[in-house]
Amino acid sequence: MILQTQGLTKTYASGVGCVDISLEIQEGRIFGLLGPNGAGKSTFVKMVLGLLRPDAGSGMLLGRPIGDPESRRKLGYLPELFRFQDWLTGEEVLRYHAGLSGMKLSEVRSSHMASRIRDVLRMTGLNNRGADRVRHYSKGMQQRLGLASALLLDPAFIILDEPSSALDPIGRYEVRQLLEQLRSAGKTVFLNTHLLEDVEAVCDDVAFLHLGRLRAIGSMRELLHVGMSWEITVGGWQTELAPGISGSLLPGMAVEAVRQEPDGSALLRVSAHNREQIGHLNRLLMEVGVTLYEVTPVQDSLEQWFLSMSGADSREGGARS
Amino acid sequence: MTWIVFAGKELYRKKIALIALLLTVLYLVLFNYVLSKMTVRPEGLLQIPFQSLIAGVSAITLGLMFAGMIVAFVVFFATMGAISGESENGLMLAVLSRPIPRWKLYLGKYFGMAFWLFLYSSVMFAAILVSVHLAAELPLLWGSVVKAWLLFVWGPMLLLAISLLGSAYLPMLANGVACASLYGLSLFCGFAEGLSNMHGGNDTLSSFTMVVSLFMPSNALFSRMTYEIIEGLDLPLLGDLLNQLGPFTPLNAPNLTYIAYTFVLLAALLALGCRAFGRKDMT
């Protein structure tokens, strides 16, 4: 287990930050923490990193208690709102961060580190700007330098807090490509974002945080009902057939007529665990004389899911992010 | 070593070193000009007259006092936002996500900056002392000079610890104002006590000055340093010389117990700072 938290809670005088957050992140997965602004996502991340002291709860990060500096030995972190020393060059910032990780001055100045710095600058699209002072970087370039810093020491676990927020569309695409590369390299990534296209494109697992509380957690397939919902277009449908069919369904199945026309055609929404159950329904429909025209698997969009999750609590007050 | 290099780079690149250097050169030029006017000797006079000695001792006292003030303000301006400023602008977020204990980072910042301040205040001390020694031909003793030098550079080390501790609790600007005010209060108390002593002294003022010196030892250390220099002049009529210094007469120079206390104070300030920084939330 890369990260495991139990009941992590942080409250602010101005409002709730995070309440009772328990989650686990498996090795080699890309985990997306979703939620609207002010949901408490950054508060949670900062508690995990030891930047904030939890009011309650505990957790283990890379085999050590959260807050223990050694738990961050194999961790890379890109904060959301951050700055580097603008009087340093990009390369000097990276050397400074290598030094903060316990390297001696000779190691920091070694040719091996110089080579690694060149690599991460190239990976993040800053290959010709390492010798420039950070004060001459654009916001997007500083974001790229933050990414380079997070990747510098080849971490096993990378926490990215809104990594695409200051980037243009090309930059966002490149970040997604980078995330794919990290997954291929067996890295575990924690992606804290409200950019749904990023999550949809790369995440294996997601959690939804709203008003400081964890509202849902699971794999993308589970939460978006991938392969669990179908729409079936039929002919010869009569309302009185519904109870009989519902009574003959296999466990875990459900059928609902979402649209019915006077000519007998109808659109049925079916929940099922697998295709075999859809085959069973097909047989039931044929037995009562209903004609089956079309079967379409249905997948909720992440946006729909996000809005439905947010909407449930939209009238409640905000929490601090 | 890493911290010394980093602090040096910060002082240089932020132009703090350049500004400090320019101000120092300007100050030393003015000081030497005033000194040359104070120590004019009549033609053909071979012995150092008493008035010339008074001028030389006064010049050392005032020169080191203003040099100490310049060093103090360099300390405050360079470090008033060392913790809070970097927390406010988000710089600490990336730094503290590294596997470094916060106390190490705090002490690294302290010792990195302390190294350069030690060099800077040593240069200031040497420049003042050499100028006065050459202009007024004061017969200084090396032992006393070394003691005075150590006391002079010890002050900024304590001010640095106070400023860093303040920056762990207060926003950058508030810390700068607080440190400068405390430093000013300490100087004022010392001056007021010196004036009071010229007219018999005042117990309440002395007690208040002592309490202030427990938190801000700059004036007490300065007083002891002046005492060491004057005592090291190895001259007759020392009592008369002291009386001529007016409010700067180091009659209430602290004893060695107080100097030992300042070591404890430094350790306490650093320990408190490490604790405060360790418990600070990076929001």
Side-chain angles (χ1 to χ4, degrees):
Chain A
M1 197 73 67
I2 293 286
L3 173 67
Q4 187 174 35
T5 67
Q6 291 100 28
L8 271 189
T9 300
K10 180 73 182 178
T11 51
Y12 297 108
S14 56
V16 174
C18 268
V19 180
D20 196 23
I21 307 295
S22 301
L23 55 78
E24 294 179 352
I25 296 179
Q26 308 285 341
E27 193 173 351
R29 309 279 286 181
I30 298 186
F31 184 96
L33 183 60
L34 283 171
N37 290 331
K41 304 188 295 294
S42 293
T43 296
F44 174 74
V45 168
K46 286 176 181 174
M47 280 193 286
V48 167
L49 291 163
L51 297 170
L52 292 177
R53 288 153 53 87
D55 296 332
S58 60
M60 297 291 284
L61 173 63
L62 293 160
R64 286 180 177 266
I66 60 171
D68 177 354
E70 280 305 309
S71 69
R72 305 191 290 269
R73 175 74 54 194
K74 291 180 179 294
L75 178 106
Y77 170 52
L78 171 70
E80 180 186 7
L81 298 170
F82 72 101
R83 272 178 62 185
F84 286 128
Q85 293 86 346
D86 63 2
W87 41 273
L88 291 177
T89 67
E91 287 174 5
E92 285 171 339
V93 165
L94 298 178
R95 285 210 174 86
Y96 174 62
H97 277 260
L100 290 174
S101 301
M103 285 187 177
K104 292 176 186 163
L105 197 57
S106 57
E107 293 174 293
V108 170
R109 290 178 168 173
S110 67
S111 57
H112 172 73
M113 182 48 64
S115 167
R116 179 63 188 164
I117 287 172
R118 276 196 300 275
D119 286 347
V120 290
L121 287 175
R122 191 173 55 246
M123 281 166 74
T124 52
L126 287 173
N127 43 339
N128 294 320
R129 302 300 299 270
D132 293 349
R133 296 263 178 98
V134 173
R135 72 163 58 105
H136 299 131
Y137 282 19
S138 67
K139 201 174 172 188
M141 287 167 68
Q142 290 195 37
Q143 188 82 354
R144 287 168 187 267
L145 184 61
L147 265 174
S149 174
L151 300 174
L152 179 67
L153 300 175
D154 195 24
F157 184 36
I158 301 143
I159 297 179
L160 305 174
D161 199 347
E162 304 288 0
S164 307
S165 58
L167 300 177
D168 57 23
I170 296 171
R172 288 180 184 185
Y173 173 75
E174 288 171 353
V175 167
R176 281 203 287 272
Q177 297 292 104
L178 186 63
L179 291 172
E180 295 284 4
Q181 286 173 26
L182 292 172
R183 190 203 338 241
S184 304
K187 309 290 184 189
T188 309
V189 180
F190 184 105
L191 189 59
N192 191 5
T193 184
H194 55 246
L195 293 176
L196 301 181
E197 60 268 36
D198 288 355
V199 176
E200 208 153 20
V202 297
C203 287
D204 303 305
D205 304 305
V206 288
F208 187 85
L209 205 58
H210 194 212
L211 299 171
R213 289 186 180 273
L214 195 61
R215 306 291 177 178
I217 183 167
S219 71
M220 286 280 281
R221 287 181 65 82
E222 288 168 6
L223 295 175
L224 300 184
H225 303 108
V226 177
M228 295 180 70
S229 186
W230 281 263
E231 282 183 352
I232 300 180
T233 309
V234 295
W237 179 257
Q238 295 170 31
T239 308
E240 52 270 26
L241 292 174
I245 290 176
S246 294
S248 304
L249 292 173
L250 294 170
M253 292 184 73
V255 175
E256 179 194 7
V258 292
R259 193 174 68 235
Q260 190 170 352
E261 304 295 338
D263 62 0
S265 62
L267 179 68
L268 307 180
R269 173 66 71 96
V270 182
S271 298
H273 290 305
N274 50 52
R275 290 181 182 184
E276 284 67 34
Q277 289 186 335
I278 298 298
H280 171 74
L281 176 64
N282 182 29
R283 187 172 59 78
L284 290 177
L285 291 171
M286 289 180 68
E287 282 175 2
V288 295
V290 173
T291 307
L292 192 144
Y293 295 135
E294 188 178 16
V295 178
T296 311
V298 176
Q299 177 181 334
D300 289 346
S301 77
L302 192 58
E303 187 176 54
Q304 283 174 332
W305 182 76
F306 187 96
L307 290 172
S308 67
M309 295 298 296
S310 305
D313 304 291
S314 60
R315 289 199 177 91
E316 294 180 32
R320 191 167 175 171
S321 184
Chain B
M1 188 64 187
T2 306
W3 294 108
I4 291 172
V5 172
F6 187 76
K9 209 171 268 185
E10 181 173 7
L11 289 170
Y12 174 69
R13 297 260 178 93
K14 283 181 165 179
K15 296 193 168 50
I16 295 170
L18 179 69
I19 301 292
L21 184 70
L22 289 175
L23 283 176
T24 303
V25 168
L26 181 66
Y27 172 65
L28 290 176
V29 167
L30 285 172
F31 177 74
N32 276 280
Y33 175 74
V34 173
L35 188 63
S36 67
K37 298 292 178 191
M38 285 171 73
T39 56
V40 173
R41 192 186 306 170
E43 286 289 330
L45 195 64
L46 297 175
Q47 295 295 319
I48 305 169
F50 186 70
Q51 285 305 317
S52 179
L53 275 177
I54 294 294
V57 172
S58 300
I60 282 190
T61 307
L62 288 174
L64 289 177
M65 189 180 83
F66 287 112
M69 286 173 73
I70 292 175
V71 175
F73 281 100
V74 169
V75 172
F76 296 147
F77 285 119
T79 60
M80 65 185 184
I83 303 296
S84 53
E86 293 187 2
S87 304
E88 287 160 16
N89 67 21
L91 212 149
M92 279 290 178
L93 293 177
V95 169
L96 293 179
S97 68
R98 296 295 176 189
I100 182 169
R102 290 194 187 187
W103 64 266
K104 269 192 182 175
L105 186 70
Y106 189 87
L107 293 182
K109 276 179 174 286
Y110 176 81
F111 286 110
M113 197 58 83
F115 174 83
W116 296 105
L117 289 170
F118 172 81
L119 286 186
Y120 177 56
S121 41
S122 295
V123 168
M124 272 291 219
F125 180 84
I128 298 293
L129 219 67
V130 167
S131 298
V132 178
H133 180 64
L134 293 178
E137 296 180 26
L138 285 177
L140 297 168
L141 287 181
W142 278 108
S144 294
V145 170
V146 169
K147 280 185 200 167
W149 165 62
L150 290 174
L151 287 164
F152 186 78
V153 297
W154 185 235
M157 302 298 111
L158 287 158
L159 292 181
L160 175 61
I162 290 169
S163 180
L164 266 184
L165 175 64
S167 81
Y169 284 106
L170 298 170
M172 185 167 77
L173 203 57
N175 183 40
V177 170
C179 286
S181 302
L182 201 56
Y183 178 76
L185 180 67
S186 169
L187 285 188
F188 175 77
C189 285
F191 188 73
E193 191 187 23
L195 279 176
S196 166
N197 286 340
M198 291 170 68
H199 306 287
N202 181 302
D203 288 345
T204 309
L205 186 60
S206 293
S207 301
F208 184 71
T209 303
M210 193 194 74
V211 170
V212 171
S213 71
L214 292 176
F215 299 99
M216 177 55 84
S218 51
N219 184 68
L221 288 174
F222 174 75
S223 187
R224 178 75 195 196
M225 182 196 66
T226 314
Y227 170 78
E228 293 291 346
I229 289 176
I230 292 173
E231 191 190 50
L233 286 173
D234 196 22
L235 290 171
L237 305 169
L238 189 63
D240 291 343
L241 187 63
L242 288 172
N243 287 334
Q244 294 289 325
L245 287 175
F248 300 107
T249 305
L251 288 178
N252 287 351
N255 57 20
L256 289 177
T257 308
Y258 178 82
I259 304 301
Y261 160 77
T262 60
F263 284 87
V264 177
L265 178 65
L266 178 71
L269 289 169
L270 291 178
L272 275 174
C274 288
R275 185 174 179 273
F277 184 42
R279 299 169 70 86
K280 190 176 177 69
D281 275 346
M282 299 295 146
T283 49

